[in-house]
Amino acid sequence: GDSKRPVDLLGTIPRAKYPALTAEEETISKPLSTICQAAFDAILVHVLNKSGGGVHEAKWQPLRREMCTALNSKKNARTVDIL
């Protein structure tokens, strides 16, 4: 198979779409996205460990997948439902 590093799956935030961005901001958008995703994951792990006292460690990935699906993957559909 064709393996890729996770960072290679991220795109930059284009100035063409967001004209208020500077060229420097466009250049650093991929590293910043990586940091934001890492922080998001760290917060989820922290909340999970604090709420369950560490008993959820074996179930972390399925729970993470479920939370990300609810928070990200279906974000547009949920927004429409709310509106």
Side-chain angles (χ1 to χ4, degrees), residues 18-41:
Y18 302 99
L21 287 178
T22 65
E24 181 182 11
E25 290 169 330
E26 181 180 37
T27 302
I28 65 171
S29 65
K30 189 184 281 192
L32 286 176
S33 292
T34 303
I35 290 170
C36 289
Q37 290 177 9
F40 179 77
D41 281 352

Side-chain angles (χ1 to χ4, degrees), residues 10-68:
L10 297 174
T12 58
I13 299 173
R15 288 178 71 198
K17 185 174 180 180
Y18 302 99
L21 287 178
T22 65
E24 181 182 11
E25 290 169 330
E26 181 180 37
T27 302
I28 65 171
S29 65
K30 189 184 281 192
L32 286 176
S33 292
T34 303
I35 290 170
C36 289
Q37 290 177 9
F40 179 77
D41 281 352
I43 291 166
L44 289 179
V45 169
H46 174 75
V47 168
L48 188 61
N49 285 336
K50 287 296 180 183
S51 66
V55 298
H56 299 295
E57 288 179 32
K59 298 179 182 180
W60 166 239
Q61 285 302 325
L63 183 56
R64 178 185 175 277
R65 189 176 308 108
E66 182 181 336
M67 291 170 72
C68 287

Side-chain angles (χ1 to χ4, degrees), residues 3 16 23 53:
S3 64

Side-chain angles (χ1 to χ4, degrees), residues 55-83:
V55 298
H56 299 295
E57 288 179 32
K59 298 179 182 180
W60 166 239
Q61 285 302 325
L63 183 56
R64 178 185 175 277
R65 189 176 308 108
E66 182 181 336
M67 291 170 72
C68 287
T69 297
L71 294 171
N72 298 322
S73 300
K74 297 181 180 178
K75 182 170 73 172
N76 291 340
R78 290 288 300 138
T79 302
V80 170
D81 288 344
I82 291 168
L83 294 175

